Amino acid sequence: MPYEKRIALGYNDISLSRLVLGAWRLLSGPDRPDADNVAKLIDGAIDIGMTSFDHADIYGNYGVEEVFGAGLKRWGGKRDAIELITKCDIMLTTDARPTNRVKHYDTSAAHIQTSVERSLKNLSTDYIDVLLIHRPDPLMDADDTARGLEDAVKAGKVRAVGVSNFLPWQFDLLASRLPFPLVTNQIELSTMFVAPLTDGSLDHAQRLNYSPMIWSPLGGGSLFTGEGAQEVRVRKALSEVAAELGNADISAVAIAWLLRHPAKLIPVLGSLKIDRLKTMATALDIELDRQQWFAILKASTGQDVA
């Protein structure tokens, strides 16, 4: 296979599966999944090689972690066979958080501690493998935030920490206050959204040798359903490359386009259907050549590279 099945994060012997299952849609359907269904999802993902599961405290109106935790308890496998990632600091205005008068961010050490304790309880686990600060906070006191993260690691409640949606200089500020590395930055990137290729995010990752996690790797579904000029161009380009590869699935080609980047990206897949996950996982067997990769980039931007 052309790609590693796992990516080492470079701290505390932690590695993630190359493809991560994103749990944010767990409560988006008409029915609330029961513990048995979640346990089956965990087993199915592991069978594909996806042992890492991405969460955030806010997912499902602050409800996904608890539902997943019930399934994890029912699953009954060894905790060290999987990796749990979760995020904190977004404060939504919702009946689940009645004291929040306005949407805001909270990266204080006190909030990090409270959020970690709640996530541990909801996920039915003794530790979180990777804790991410979900969004940059304009009121972040880097020393205070670092203290909250360091305390969580020292207490054994979190094994490693990272960020999400940070720009390179925001990453560097927080990293400068920590005694251990930030192990990832979870950012948006897809054949439909290519800004990180030129805004310094991926160059930063290569310079510091960390692997970015990638959210919305299929453009939030617009890649398949959108009728705008960009969607039509990208679908056509993906279909042409898929045909060259022997009628590969275009979603797998779109994931392979991300895997081709030397920053060793870790896509977070949003489907909860095992068959779809299996199809997307075939991306691990697809190695695009440079011209195929650039043809897809051209389709996304509508022009040749400068």
Side-chain angles (χ1 to χ4, degrees), residues 28 46-47 53 63 71 82 95 102 124 137 163 187 201 246 255-256 269 282-283 287 294:
S28 63
I46 291 172
D47 286 344
F53 300 86
I82 65 170
D95 55 357
V102 61
S124 299
D137 172 12
V163 294
I187 58 175
S201 295
I255 297 298
L269 307 183
T282 62
E287 188 167 15
F294 276 98

Side-chain angles (χ1 to χ4, degrees), residues 276-290:
R276 283 294 299 143
L277 293 172
K278 286 180 179 178
T279 296
M280 286 187 275
T282 62
L284 293 168
D285 295 315
I286 297 172
E287 188 167 15
L288 304 182
D289 66 32
R290 281 181 175 268

